[in-house]
């Protein structure tokens, strides 16, 4: 990890960059820790990096409340967006159920009309056979 990588991640516009400021913090700390790890404690580099890390930590503590507030706001926005999506999906499901209920009702009404017609035809057929009008029944039906 190095500062140019951190900068590139911060400037990334394609969604591959940092999502939260805490990720930047972790990477900057890693750069400082690595510089201290790979340079002797008595070297100028180690001493300067240790001083910079202390300053960075000090600045971070001042920024932390704002970062936390921003993360909370972002989390709330995500929760609201998720709730809106869920409401939209539920509304779509409710509409689909109403449409389905209406279709079932229409099929049921059609079935009942056929049932009534069939019962009337059956009654008429029984009366016709009983009265000897078999031919009239079939002729009236085009059979």
């Amino acid at each position: 990890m190095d500062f140019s990588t951190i900068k590139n991640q911060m400037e990334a516009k394609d969604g591959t960059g940092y999502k939260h400021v805490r990720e930047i913090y972790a990477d900057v700390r890693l750069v400082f820790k690595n510089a201290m790890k790979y340079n002797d404690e008595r070297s100028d580099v180690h001493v300067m990096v240790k001083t910079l890390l202390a300053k960075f930590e000090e600045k971070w503590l001042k920024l932390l409340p704002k970062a936390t507030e921003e993360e909370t706001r972002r989390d709330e926005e995500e929760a609201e967006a998720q709730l809106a999506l869920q409401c939209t999906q539920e509304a779509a499901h409710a509409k689909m159920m109403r449409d389905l209920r209406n279709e079932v009702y229409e099929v049921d009404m059609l079935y009942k009309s056929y049932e009534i017609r069939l019962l009337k035809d059956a009654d008429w057929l029984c009366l016709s056979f009983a009265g000897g009008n078999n031919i009239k029944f079939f002729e009236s039906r085009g059979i």
Side-chain angles (χ1 to χ4, degrees):
M1 182 57 60
D2 58 55
F3 288 118
S4 64
T5 303
I6 294 170
K7 181 179 182 242
N8 290 338
Q9 288 273 6
M10 289 172 64
E11 294 173 349
K13 303 284 187 216
D14 60 358
T16 60
Y18 293 115
K19 305 290 185 239
H20 299 285
V21 73
R22 290 179 194 268
E23 293 174 288
I24 301 169
Y25 167 76
D27 282 350
V28 170
R29 262 187 120 252
L30 179 62
V31 169
F32 288 138
K33 291 290 187 176
N34 284 342
M36 289 169 44
K37 181 178 181 179
Y38 295 108
N39 287 282
D40 186 67
E41 288 183 21
R42 295 173 300 231
S43 73
D44 289 342
V45 172
H46 186 96
V47 172
M48 286 187 283
V49 167
K50 190 173 184 178
T51 303
L52 285 173
L53 178 58
K55 287 286 186 190
F56 175 73
E57 294 285 354
E58 182 182 313
K59 296 286 186 183
W60 170 252
L61 288 176
K62 290 179 183 175
L63 179 65
L64 186 58
K66 290 180 183 177
T68 302
E69 182 181 308
E70 177 63 22
E71 287 173 347
T72 301
R73 184 190 61 77
R74 194 177 294 171
D75 290 346
E76 288 170 356
E77 285 177 357
E78 287 177 17
E80 287 175 12
Q82 186 66 27
L83 182 60
L85 176 62
Q86 183 179 355
C87 288
T88 301
Q89 289 172 337
E90 288 177 7
H93 288 133
K95 182 185 180 321
M96 196 170 27
M97 290 303 295
R98 280 192 306 274
D99 292 346
L100 184 59
R101 185 183 64 223
N102 290 339
E103 287 181 35
V104 167
Y105 176 78
E106 289 173 14
V107 168
D108 190 46
M109 290 295 102
L110 187 60
Y111 170 77
K112 286 181 181 175
S113 72
Y114 287 145
E115 183 180 35
I116 291 169
R117 183 174 170 200
L118 182 64
L119 289 174
K120 285 181 182 177
D121 286 349
D123 286 345
W124 195 84
L125 181 61
C126 288
L127 291 174
S128 295
F129 278 116
N133 297 326
N134 305 351
I135 296 174
K136 286 182 187 177
F137 172 78
F138 290 110
E139 287 174 351
S140 70
R141 300 291 186 267
I143 303 175

